[in-house]
Structures are given as structure tokens and as C-alpha cells.
Amino acid sequence: MSFDVNQTKTYSQSLEDVKTAALGAIDGLEGKVLKQSENHIEAKFDKKILGKVLGDRTQIEIDLSAANGESQVDVTVYPLDPVGRKLMFGARKGVSQTVMTWFWAHLEHRLK
């Protein structure tokens, strides 16, 4: 059983605006950017986000692409063990989905 959550959304804003909003969403959720390139962002979140204890650390990987005047955002969220490796078993149910939901909410708020 995989604990990964994958989602894709498309926005009418420019790729640069979407990338700026994504970085703002990570910052707003108290995340730490690990890697950043032109079209890829990796960040991790602690067990506690915005005062709510989720129970697992998580990592988010964001791939950005542009086509036909729209920006596509592909996001993967998965739990991490205390050392920072991908958690393959024993993760708490719903943590990755919660982080994903909060990320989209923060991203879309910044794009308005």
C-alpha cells in the first residue's frame, strides 16, 4: 500500500505566478524548501503544521509545466521517517491528503 498522494491541477495564470504562489504556500504552511529548479520544487513539513499535530513528517514534490497559455501543477505528497527517508509502512492515515488539501488551498488563495 502506497502512502503517496498525487494530484494535478491547471491554472490560467503564468508559470512564474504559479511558482511564486507555490513557494508562498509552502512558506505559509511552515515548510522548508529542500530543492528548487526552474520547474521543480521539493519541500518538507514537520509533524506540526499551523499548530495542528498531524503525526507524520511529509515531503511535497511539485512539477510545473506550461502549455496552451495555462500552467499545470503536478503534486506528490508522501510521509517521511524521522531521518527524512520515504516512509514505506506505519504511516498515519490521511496525513498526506491533509497536507495536499492545505497546499492547494494556500496556492489558490495566493493566485486570486
Side-chain angles (χ1 to χ4, degrees):
M1 178 180 161
S2 176
F3 297 106
D4 295 15
V5 177
N6 301 296
Q7 291 182 1
T8 301
K9 291 192 178 185
T10 304
Y11 298 98
S12 60
Q13 288 86 346
S14 73
L15 192 62
E16 191 60 39
D17 289 345
V18 173
K19 182 177 180 180
T20 301
L23 291 169
I26 291 166
D27 186 53
L29 291 170
E30 303 169 348
K32 178 182 175 189
V33 175
L34 302 172
K35 295 180 186 175
Q36 180 181 347
S37 66
E38 186 177 341
N39 294 327
H40 184 78
I41 302 168
E42 290 182 23
K44 71 176 187 174
F45 299 99
D46 200 17
K47 290 180 178 184
K48 186 175 171 183
I49 299 175
L50 301 175
K52 180 170 175 145
V53 178
L54 298 177
D56 283 322
R57 294 161 185 86
T58 51
Q59 181 157 331
I60 188 169
E61 296 183 4
I62 304 163
D63 289 306
L64 306 163
S65 58
N68 302 324
E70 294 186 324
S71 300
Q72 180 173 310
V73 184
D74 298 303
V75 179
T76 301
V77 178
Y78 53 87
L80 298 173
D81 68 11
V83 186
R85 297 175 300 206
K86 188 173 184 178
L87 197 58
M88 303 306 280
F89 61 90
R92 286 156 184 83
K93 187 175 180 181
V95 173
S96 296
Q97 183 60 53
T98 299
V99 173
M100 178 75 77
T101 302
W102 289 354
F103 172 76
W104 289 127
H106 277 253
L107 176 83
E108 290 167 1
H109 174 73
R110 285 168 171 74
L111 287 175
K112 289 184 179 178

